[in-house]
Amino acid sequence: MTYPKYAVLAGALALAATVTSLHQAHAEQCEQESFEEAKYVVCTLEPGKADLRLFWKNADDTPYRTFSSLAEAIRAEGRTLAFAVNAGMYRADFSPMGLYVENAREFQPANTTKAESSAGQVPNFYKKPNGVFFLGEAGAGILPTDKFLKRRPKVRFATQSGPMLVIANKLNPIFIVGSTDRTRRNGVGVCERGAVRFAISEDGVNFHDFARLFRDHLKCPDALFLDGGRGVGLYNPEMGRNDRSWHGGYGPIFGLVE
């Protein structure tokens, strides 16, 4: 069978447009950005257009721990892990520190423990307020833990971490301007038009500056700290990234499935 030349040309143009569109989508998904001399990787997901999920344990009921093991499991299902980041703090056995909901099933309850300071330091998870990132029928949201527990929204995925970085467009008042507590950090924000933005710092930053990244640069009225130091990690094949945690692995993981 033969086809008119114009039909072949139109098909080639359509294919090229599709490839270009897919390439642009991947290119825009995660980008390197700078804010006040600090370098970051920022990954943006548009509401309703991305299959963002939470993962913790595999089919053998053991934590995935690495991005590679999660990618292999998703590949076995005929899908692709486009990118992933750690999804909050976890214990030595890689179990989530607080609330964890996966596919509408609560695996870990909310942690409302008030931790005593040790040598003047309160662990990050217990710095007030901490919060919950969640995905439900109405899209993504972030709430301080106490408000989340009062409202009890119906969610498909949820993870608790802390502290809150930005609350209703205001910085968490516990942060100190010019603090020397600088390390690599990652967090998530729910931003303009409901977009979800993940930020991973490539340089050491303090909490105040990291929170300002979300509010002032990424335009996120609500943002939540996920982890810092050796627990920060990013998986993104487009950028050649497959980080490992120096804690022996990750606990809960955010993953974008395509």
Side-chain angles (χ1 to χ4, degrees):
M1 180 181 292
T2 60
Y3 297 91
K5 291 182 178 180
Y6 69 84
V8 175
L9 177 60
L13 290 173
L15 177 60
T18 300
V19 171
T20 300
S21 176
L22 290 172
H23 174 75
Q24 289 175 343
H26 281 292
E28 293 172 2
Q29 182 179 295
C30 293
E31 298 180 324
Q32 294 180 330
E33 297 191 25
S34 295
F35 177 66
E36 296 182 343
E37 300 182 356
K39 296 178 181 178
Y40 300 88
V41 175
V42 177
C43 301
T44 301
L45 305 182
E46 296 300 326
K49 299 180 181 179
D51 188 3
L52 179 65
R53 307 181 193 176
L54 279 166
F55 299 91
W56 174 25
K57 291 183 176 182
N58 58 27
D60 296 325
D61 200 36
T62 59
Y64 285 104
R65 294 179 54 178
T66 67
F67 296 139
S68 293
S69 62
L70 175 58
E72 290 172 5
I74 291 175
R75 191 179 303 116
E77 298 175 356
R79 306 290 296 276
T80 300
L81 181 66
F83 94 91
V85 295
N86 64 313
M89 295 167 206
Y90 46 94
R91 299 181 175 87
D93 63 355
F94 307 102
S95 62
M97 285 285 292
L99 178 70
Y100 182 81
V101 178
E102 183 179 324
N103 292 321
R105 179 182 172 187
E106 183 179 296
F107 287 86
Q108 292 275 69
N111 185 339
T112 58
T113 302
K114 294 183 179 179
E116 297 294 331
S117 63
S118 175
Q121 295 290 326
V122 175
N124 287 332
F125 180 89
Y126 298 103
K127 289 177 178 176
K128 297 301 182 183
N130 62 22
V132 176
F133 172 93
F134 57 93
L135 288 167
E137 295 178 354
I142 297 174
L143 286 171
T145 300
D146 58 347
K147 291 186 178 180
F148 178 88
L149 294 177
K150 287 179 181 178
R151 297 184 187 182
R152 288 287 181 178
K154 186 177 181 180
V155 300
R156 184 183 177 198
F157 296 101
T159 181
Q160 181 185 6
S161 191
M164 290 284 293
L165 297 170
V166 186
I167 311 163
N169 216 39
K170 294 183 179 180
L171 302 185
N172 190 326
I174 68 172
F175 299 151
I176 301 170
V177 178
S179 170
T180 57
D181 179 16
R182 294 178 174 272
T183 188
R184 292 186 64 219
R185 304 182 190 276
N186 82 306
V188 59
V190 176
C191 315
E192 293 179 325
R193 297 180 297 279
V196 176
R197 290 195 169 99
F198 295 91
I200 302 95
S201 74
E202 301 289 68
D203 301 313
V205 295
N206 62 36
F207 271 122
H208 188 270
D209 294 344
F210 194 47
R212 287 191 57 246
L213 166 81
F214 279 98
R215 186 190 68 177
D216 301 342
H217 183 65
L218 301 179
K219 308 303 180 185
C220 306
D222 296 287
L224 178 67
F225 180 65
L226 294 173
D227 210 342
R230 297 181 298 173
V232 173
L234 168 67
Y235 175 87
N236 188 291
E238 294 286 324
M239 302 182 76
R241 294 284 292 269
N242 185 9
D243 300 348
R244 299 183 68 88
S245 169
W246 290 97
H247 295 302
Y250 299 106
I253 296 173
F254 278 114
L256 175 63
V257 179
E258 295 183 341

